[in-house]
Amino acid sequence: MSRFTLAALGLSMALGALVGAPAPAHALLTGECKEVELQFKNETGSKVDVPRQGHRMRNKGSLESWNKLELGASKNGLANGSSWSSVNDLTIKCVSDAEFEIKWSDAKGDHTKIFASVDISDKKAVFTLK
């Protein structure tokens, strides 16, 4: 092991002792926000389908790029005026300005919208589909 690696390990252990157990390495790089309720409100005027895959998320201003977002399930035929939720563990930090790219489809075709400055610090996000 190099001196740098040993020094970094020592610093990590010292900080971990001060603030509790250290976070997993992937959480330090990408963030980890567990059990976040993602609510989808349909205000399109028709039924919509929200796929399980194809969505993305990121922390605003972060060096990392978009991360994939896969919902717990898909929702087909969500009626206008209705809402549906999926609880997910996210690979971004729980912040007040997260960004999400959400996909859905309706009778008019496929749609993609970027929701900026989404507050997930309270472990909940609401996406209004229009």
Side-chain angles (χ1 to χ4, degrees):
M1 245 187 238
S2 73
R3 285 185 197 165
F4 177 74
T5 303
L6 287 173
L9 180 61
L11 179 60
S12 176
M13 289 173 61
L15 289 173
L18 289 174
V19 296
H26 73 280
L28 294 174
L29 295 175
T30 62
E32 190 173 296
C33 192
K34 293 191 177 268
E35 296 184 5
V36 178
E37 179 185 0
L38 305 177
Q39 183 181 45
F40 300 85
K41 288 184 169 185
N42 180 5
E43 293 186 7
T44 64
S46 64
K47 290 182 180 179
V48 299
D49 296 330
V50 180
R52 181 177 187 188
Q53 300 175 337
H55 314 285
R56 301 187 310 165
M57 63 191 159
R58 71 177 174 183
N59 287 125
K60 184 178 177 181
S62 170
L63 293 178
E64 68 178 306
S65 62
W66 290 95
N67 295 323
K68 291 181 183 179
L69 170 60
E70 183 174 316
L71 304 176
S74 59
K75 179 64 177 173
N76 293 322
L78 180 63
N80 183 52
S82 297
S83 58
W84 170 75
S85 294
S86 175
V87 176
N88 291 74
D89 290 344
L90 306 181
T91 57
I92 59 175
K93 295 176 184 171
C94 289
V95 296
S96 61
D97 63 348
E99 294 181 316
F100 291 84
E101 181 181 82
I102 302 297
K103 297 181 181 259
W104 74 93
S105 59
D106 60 17
K108 298 176 188 172
D110 296 331
H111 307 278
T112 302
K113 180 177 179 182
I114 294 179
F115 292 85
S117 298
V118 178
D119 186 354
I120 57 172
S121 61
D122 62 353
K123 306 277 183 113
K124 184 172 183 175
V126 178
F127 305 109
T128 302
L129 312 178
K130 294 183 179 185

